Amino acid sequence: MDAIRTALNLAYDVKESRPFWKTQGMAIGITVIGAVVVLAP
Amino acid sequence: MTLIALGGKAGEWLADRAGLGQVYAVVWAWSRWPITMLLIMFVTAVLYYFLPDVEQEWRFITPGSVVGTLLWLLATWAFTQYAEHFAKYDAAYGSIGGMIVAAHLALPHRADLHPGRRDQRDPRACRARRQSAGRTRGGEAPPPPEARPSAAAPGAAKQRTAAIRSHLRLLQRRKERRGGRRAPPTKSRKPRPTSILPIFPRMKETHASPDLEWIDQLWMVNVPVKLFSATSPKEVRFHMVHDKDGGRIQQKRVCSVDGEEVPWEHIVKGFEISKGATSR
């Protein structure tokens, strides 16, 4: 997720302005939610 | 995938009650793919919306999400073929093989998602299906819900559906809050980007050649390469030195006719035809 975020920021030609805890928390959160949505039996 | 797996069983149960089990099996077998696509496109849209540090409107269907979803489905299909025809996961790993397959790509191709194959593996489901098919043909009522192997599915599916709905509502509320708090989109802090890979959500038509724009982006990928020698010199090496003053000995290319040093641009190749006669 963090890699996708970095790549999208590069593609949009913007620098990350959100704080570290926000970006990392978002990456972890999306990963967990995505895992639940995709993998839950 | 939860919805796909459990929604199938819940719908199967409902369809059996209504006497449409056969029709439902066909419909579900085909509608599973569009539903999967929509789910993946939703996930893609979430990623495109939240991850970049750019304020943008919510777009569910983008060129990127469509392309990405189609590629994902292609990979799913290819991996299914591989897993079913070539790889012997079950033989090598037993029931853990299922988890390995699921962990690889999280694909909806396991036996419990294929109605036919589930029958082969689960005798209870097989029996229940035979019974329900016979009774449906005979005009009798389908078996009571608690006799079906998927009796627990509808409740669980409902719970999960409700959880996902509430999550969607939460997302919506968050978006509204953000919209109210921040500046309107026209006064956005960051300028809207114009140079975007085609697989990414936004592509401005105002750019000179949007079709070729993504080629620029390719050069953003740099792979630095450096060569290292894998050997190290073992013997001592000497220079040629003049014994009187220690000056280094140089080599010069000198013409044998006029005795002058000849620069490289005046040196050409020649072949000695006979003694003393050289052709250039």
Side-chain angles (χ1 to χ4, degrees), chain B residues 75-91 97-98 100-102 104-105 107 109-111 114 117 121:
Chain B
T76 302
W77 179 81
F79 188 75
T80 308
Q81 298 299 313
Y82 171 73
E84 285 184 355
H85 296 298
F86 300 107
K88 299 279 184 265
Y89 285 108
D90 289 354
I100 291 173
V101 173
H104 263 108
L105 285 170
L107 304 178
H109 68 266
R110 279 303 294 159
H114 289 280
R117 300 193 63 196
R121 300 206 175 183

Side-chain angles (χ1 to χ4, degrees), chain A residues 1 4-5 8-12 14-18 26 30 33 36-41, chain B residues 1-2 6 47-48 50-54 56 106 160 167 190 193 195-196 200-202 220:
Chain A
M1 287 306 151
I4 299 175
R5 180 183 61 77
L8 283 168
N9 276 340
L10 267 176
Y12 279 112
V14 293
K15 279 193 79 172
E16 188 63 62
S17 68
R18 293 167 287 190
M26 190 176 61
I30 291 181
I33 292 172
V36 167
V37 166
V38 170
L39 275 183
Chain B
M1 298 310 143
T2 308
L6 291 177
L47 296 189
Y48 283 163
F50 283 109
L51 284 181
D53 194 8
V54 176
Q56 48 192 345
R160 288 201 174 83
H167 179 66
K190 298 185 179 83
S195 171
I196 295 300
F200 290 132
R202 185 172 308 285
M220 286 161 45

